[in-house]
Amino acid sequence: MLGDEYIELRKTVEAFAREVVAPVIGDYYERCEFPYDIVRKMGAMGLFGLPVPEEYGGMGGDYFALCLALEELARVDSSVAITLEAAVSLGAMPILRFGTAEQKEHWLPKLASGEMLGAFGLTEPGGGTDVPGGMRTTAVLDGGEWVIDGTKAFITNSGTDITGVVGVAAITGRNGAKPEISTILVPSGTPGFTVSKKYSKVGWSASDTRELSFSGCRVPEENLLGERGRGYAQFLQTLDEGRVAIAALSVGLAQGCVDESVRYVGERTAFGNAIGRYQAIQFKIADMEARVHTARLAYYHAAERMLAGLPFKKEAAIAKLVSSNAAMDNARDATQIFGGYGFMNEFPVGRFYRDAKILEIGEGTSEVQRMLIARELGLGA
């Protein structure tokens, strides 16, 4: 049972998504244009600061509040939802969790207001899931500065006009054959830091995703985020939390598929009846609703354990796996229900279908989630 504050937040974001985002996001999506006006309004609502303490300009809420907002946004559009998720979960939260007092005071007020977006540079072109083994980006101390060299791939929010900082995971030394990984904050516009043009993507077309290059990029030694050599542990925690958020986003997309399908089958007629009167359609939508309900319970449970300070790695992996599968399955079924219209970009389900697949890949593939679940059960090495 959700408390009153959660219920009110959910209603507020639902109305915003329906009244502000839905009427215009299709045009942004087709133009592959970042929705600065929508992001500005989200900032004014305080969405980027939901889990950030009030002392740093945030709303003083918690991570579950962020998840509820993501679900409601994704019911309408995932590009807007992933922009919020990445900005908070990957941009602001590592600074809140691991930053110094000075770093928090400098970065968090701007990130919490939505005036600035943050990003997290982990994935590399030849690495993918193979972290730390596939990491090639290095950072070497020289005269009180970190000198960073390397390339990052598929980084969300990294090249917008309001992007202000990227947390870069890099090898800062070695303990024998084992790489020492640390995270370093790199402000946008730093010499030696190059942002590529936007990727041409299958989905999430109104979000910003780019490759980043670092060549002799120098930042002060105090830009180290957290302890030197603790970067790997830090981003594992970041990804565990992020998986709960992506699960919420996935549930939102899956719910949006149900919403659109229920509306459509009441309007579309065939053989003299609304198609919603035919049992084949009813059963398909019933299965879609069951997937959403199950997936929502999974991410609620993971978030509950996280907020209680209990171990939640397995629960986060389960939530991410179940929810992303639900999103993909519901997008496919909704497109089938819409028939030829589901293949048209003017209908939201076509956008949902294009957006769903990445949910089984980003922030840990479905295979990685199964691996994590098996490990938590004591299986494998």
Side-chain angles (χ1 to χ4, degrees), residues 357-376:
K357 183 57 192 174
I358 188 60
L359 298 171
E360 296 182 317
I361 299 172
E363 296 205 32
T365 64
S366 294
E367 290 76 15
V368 166
Q369 307 315 313
R370 293 184 174 96
M371 178 184 71
L372 293 172
I373 294 165
R375 284 180 179 175
E376 289 296 306

Side-chain angles (χ1 to χ4, degrees), residues 202-225:
V202 171
W204 286 358
S205 295
S207 72
D208 180 81
T209 316
R210 302 177 190 244
E211 184 175 278
L212 308 179
S213 299
F214 303 88
S215 180
C217 177
R218 305 179 75 96
V219 298
E221 184 176 357
E222 56 266 26
N223 282 27
L224 177 70
L225 181 64

Side-chain angles (χ1 to χ4, degrees), residues 253-265:
L253 188 151
Q255 183 67 64
C257 290
V258 174
D259 297 341
E260 291 296 320
S261 295
V262 169
R263 179 191 59 77
Y264 181 75
V265 301

Side-chain angles (χ1 to χ4, degrees), residues 22-45:
V24 299
I25 195 60
D27 289 338
Y28 283 108
Y29 197 95
E30 291 308 308
R31 297 196 305 268
C32 298
E33 181 179 332
F34 189 78
Y36 287 101
D37 186 55
I38 294 175
V39 170
R40 180 182 58 77
K41 292 175 181 176
M42 289 163 59
M45 291 173 64

